[in-house]
Amino acid sequence: MTIREQTGCPMCSRWDDDADLRIVEFEYSYLILNRDQFFPGYCLLFSKQHVTELFDLDLKTRQGIMEEVTRTAAALAGLFKPDKINYELLGNMVPHIHWHLIPRFSNEPLWPRPVWAEPHPESHLSNEGYRQRCEQIRQALEAA
């Protein structure tokens, strides 16, 4: 099942709903910038297939999507120079395989706690700021 065939899932429609945050369409997944950039470079990578668990993917797709996660993390690390990249694959609130890829810095207010440990003020960019950040990540992916 392709992502466009599933209805009622907010992740299935995210590529279209957040077109201004699109970074790249991979073979097995989509990568978008998270609208809240309190953590600079925070991205979401989500499966093109509407599945809830890794074991729901066939081996080739599972291996491919993990390579896309890894490639994205390497590009974010090279671009933002964080102290750590956080990889979050939860799905409790949105049951569609998706990773939160979050560059983390030891000088940020929530370090070293998880990003959900306590509320934080959202940081939004201008339309041009989002466009530039997406382009920076896209270029980092091409260089990685």
Side-chain angles (χ1 to χ4, degrees):
M1 177 181 302
T2 66
I3 199 164
R4 298 188 194 288
E5 293 172 346
Q6 180 65 28
T7 59
C9 171
M11 199 58 69
C12 284
S13 63
R14 191 97 187 237
W15 185 248
D16 293 327
D17 293 346
D18 289 331
D20 61 321
L21 301 175
R22 290 179 183 176
I23 298 171
V24 67
E25 178 179 353
F26 289 119
E27 184 174 356
Y28 302 103
S29 66
Y30 295 109
L31 178 66
I32 65 170
L33 192 67
N34 191 50
R35 193 160 305 277
D36 177 9
Q37 285 292 290
F38 181 84
F39 302 97
Y42 183 159
C43 292
L44 293 167
L45 185 144
F46 51 100
S47 172
K48 287 182 175 181
Q49 292 182 14
H50 179 81
V51 297
T52 59
E53 305 296 339
L54 282 172
F55 57 77
D56 290 331
L57 297 169
D58 64 73
L59 180 61
K60 180 182 177 196
T61 303
R62 187 170 54 248
Q63 289 174 337
I65 203 168
M66 291 310 301
E67 285 302 314
E68 293 166 357
V69 168
T70 302
R71 183 173 167 210
T72 300
L76 293 173
L79 179 61
F80 292 98
K81 310 289 189 239
D83 294 298
K84 178 71 176 88
I85 297 285
N86 284 178
Y87 305 77
E88 299 284 346
L89 173 62
L90 302 171
N92 298 337
M93 296 183 70
V94 180
H96 179 124
I97 288 183
H98 65 285
W99 282 261
H100 298 256
L101 297 166
I102 312 162
R104 299 295 304 273
F105 301 88
S106 60
N107 64 350
E108 70 189 38
L110 294 182
W111 182 267
R113 297 177 310 280
V115 297
W116 295 283
E118 60 187 72
H120 65 268
E122 288 195 10
S123 177
H124 294 272
L125 306 177
S126 66
N127 289 341
E128 180 60 16
Y130 285 120
R131 190 198 66 73
Q132 288 177 0
R133 184 146 303 159
C134 288
E135 183 58 30
Q136 290 172 327
I137 296 168
R138 196 174 299 112
Q139 288 177 4
L141 281 163
E142 290 172 4

